[in-house]
């Protein structure tokens, strides 16, 4: 494999060739099909995952505060449908007395499915790594649950920060004889923290999911790029579903599920395309031998 500096110079000299190679490999790896699989399993996993996390955290934090933080964060992932998802989670939490150890096990199993599918998709994209080195099956088995634990910790931190901002927002600070209020600032700060959280999560996917050791710099560039692309697409989807889309007319009561599925597939496509960019950057030094 060529050095990073050599590959960087080749990309600068042949940007369109590099882009064409990324798109070609993405099509060869059935990127659209893989993103559809990720969207489907994420749709199956997202409610059990969130329910499981909130069941645990509600033992320590007020449920209403958790649900408000959830609404703010889900809005970043599934535009225009956060309220529906939060209401469903609230309904499940209200029936927590019916949740036994068997139900917890079922929730845990379905919560891990999306991470497993994502790891398999990454293996197809980074096939040049898998051909050299395979990951131990125990690591693959444990990895989804480590991500669930990390998401739970991250959600708890976001909830605590949200509570701190809410408390500060109600106060006024007297500075140089002028009264300063933080009213309205908490929403912007929470949005910024949520965006940074997206970058960190995406970066961790690119850094951990592929087999072998990936450069942290490459993973961070991929994470930032994917987060920015998703933020653009998120606003586009909100506009599209609210103005041009006929999903509600065509699918009726199924419209919410369809909208969520489309949003997740677009997110999966962006995630996998970013991975394909990183994979082809690693292999771009081989283009002379391939062509």
């Amino acid at each position: 494999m060529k050095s990073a500096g050599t590959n960087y110079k080749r990309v600068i000299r042949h940007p369109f060739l590099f882009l064409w190679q990324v798109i070609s490999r993405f099509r060869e790896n059935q990127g659209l099909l893989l993103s559809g699989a990720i969207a489907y399993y994420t749709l199956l996993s997202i409610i059990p995952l969130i329910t499981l996390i909130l069941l645990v955290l509600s033992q320590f934090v007020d449920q209403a505060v958790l649900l408000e933080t959830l609404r703010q964060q889900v809005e970043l992932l599934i535009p225009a449908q956060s309220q529906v998802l939060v209401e469903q989670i609230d309904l499940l939490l209200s029936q927590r007395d019916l949740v036994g150890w068997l139900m917890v096990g079922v929730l845990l199993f379905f919560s891990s499915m999306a991470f497993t599918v994502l790891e398999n998709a990454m293996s197809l994209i980074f096939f040049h790594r898998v051909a050299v080195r395979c990951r131990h099956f125990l690591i693959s088995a444990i990895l989804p649950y480590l991500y669930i634990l990390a998401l739970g910790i991250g959600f708890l931190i976001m909830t605590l920060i949200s509570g701190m901002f809410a408390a500060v927002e109600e106060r006024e600070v007297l500075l140089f004889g002028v009264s300063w209020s933080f009213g309205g600032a908490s929403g912007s700060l929470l949005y910024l923290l949520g965006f940074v959280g997206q970058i960190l999560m995406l970066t961790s996917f690119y850094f951990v999911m592929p087999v072998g050791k990936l450069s942290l710099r490459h993973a961070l560039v991929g994470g930032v790029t994917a987060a920015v692309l998703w933020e653009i697409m998120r606003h586009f989807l909100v506009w599209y579903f609210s103005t041009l889309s006929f999903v509600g007319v065509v699918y009726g009561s199924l419209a919410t599920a369809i909208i969520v599925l489309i949003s997740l597939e677009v997110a999966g496509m962006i995630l996998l395309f970013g991975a394909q960019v990183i994979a082809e950057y690693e292999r771009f030094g081989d283009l002379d031998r391939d062509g």
Side-chain angles (χ1 to χ4, degrees):
M1 184 179 294
K2 300 290 184 181
S3 67
T6 302
N7 286 358
Y8 172 77
K9 293 177 181 177
R10 290 183 181 276
V11 171
I12 294 298
R13 289 201 302 264
H14 309 284
F16 295 108
L17 178 60
F18 175 70
L19 180 60
W20 175 252
Q21 188 167 327
V22 169
I23 296 174
S24 299
R25 295 286 188 184
F26 189 74
R27 292 181 59 189
E28 289 176 10
N29 292 331
Q30 300 293 319
L32 295 179
L33 186 62
L34 292 176
S35 62
I38 290 174
Y40 172 75
Y41 281 100
T42 301
L43 184 61
L44 290 180
S45 301
I46 191 167
I47 291 182
L49 172 62
I50 296 174
T51 302
L52 182 64
I53 291 175
L54 265 62
L55 276 174
V56 175
L57 295 183
S58 61
Q59 305 300 318
F60 313 99
V61 183
D62 182 69
Q63 181 175 312
V65 176
L66 291 172
L67 290 173
E68 177 58 25
T69 305
L70 174 64
R71 185 194 62 77
Q72 295 169 352
Q73 298 307 309
V74 171
E75 188 65 30
L76 296 176
L77 177 62
I78 308 175
Q81 297 299 318
S82 61
Q83 191 59 40
V84 176
L85 183 59
V86 171
E87 288 175 358
Q88 180 61 34
I89 298 295
D90 189 19
L91 178 62
L92 287 174
L93 291 176
S94 66
Q95 302 173 1
R96 68 178 65 203
D97 294 338
L98 302 178
V99 178
W101 287 108
L102 179 60
M103 185 61 176
V104 170
V106 171
L107 290 174
L108 196 59
F109 171 75
F110 279 102
S111 298
S112 66
M113 293 176 67
F115 297 103
T116 302
V117 173
L118 178 59
E119 184 187 14
N120 293 334
M122 289 288 187
S123 297
L124 289 174
I125 291 176
F126 290 91
F127 68 93
H128 59 288
R129 287 172 168 267
V130 178
V132 177
R133 179 182 178 184
C134 293
R135 174 174 286 159
H136 197 282
F137 77 95
L138 287 178
I139 297 178
S140 296
I142 295 173
L143 199 58
Y145 303 105
L146 292 178
Y147 264 106
I148 292 173
L149 178 61
L151 283 174
I153 295 173
F155 191 83
L156 176 60
I157 293 173
M158 287 298 301
T159 301
L160 295 176
I161 293 175
S162 177
M164 292 171 55
F165 284 164
V168 171
E169 193 175 40
E170 297 175 356
R171 299 183 178 181
E172 292 186 353
V173 177
L174 188 63
L175 183 63
F176 301 116
V178 180
S179 180
W180 298 83
S181 174
F182 293 94
S186 62
S188 300
L189 291 173
L190 286 174
Y191 171 82
L192 181 61
L193 285 175
F195 182 69
V196 172
Q198 282 189 69
I199 293 176
L200 294 177
M201 180 59 67
L202 290 167
T203 300
S204 72
F205 286 152
Y206 294 138
F207 187 67
V208 175
M209 290 295 182
V211 175
K213 185 178 180 181
L214 186 69
S215 168
L216 180 59
R217 181 180 61 182
H218 294 171
L220 182 59
V221 170
V224 172
T225 302
V228 171
L229 287 175
W230 170 243
E231 194 61 20
I232 295 172
M233 286 303 302
R234 186 176 72 87
H235 285 89
F236 171 77
L237 289 173
V238 170
W239 170 79
Y240 173 74
F241 286 128
S242 62
T243 57
L244 300 180
S245 175
F246 291 95
V247 172
V249 176
V250 176
Y251 292 98
S253 61
L254 296 176
T256 297
I258 298 299
I259 291 173
V260 171
L261 189 61
I262 292 174
S263 301
L264 292 175
E265 182 161 5
V266 172
M269 197 182 309
I270 292 173
L271 176 62
L272 294 182
F273 191 81
Q276 192 70 65
V277 170
I278 297 174
E280 293 312 307
Y281 179 80
E282 291 183 338
R283 302 179 66 253
F284 197 56
D286 298 333
L287 69 87
D288 290 336
R289 291 194 297 272
D290 293 341

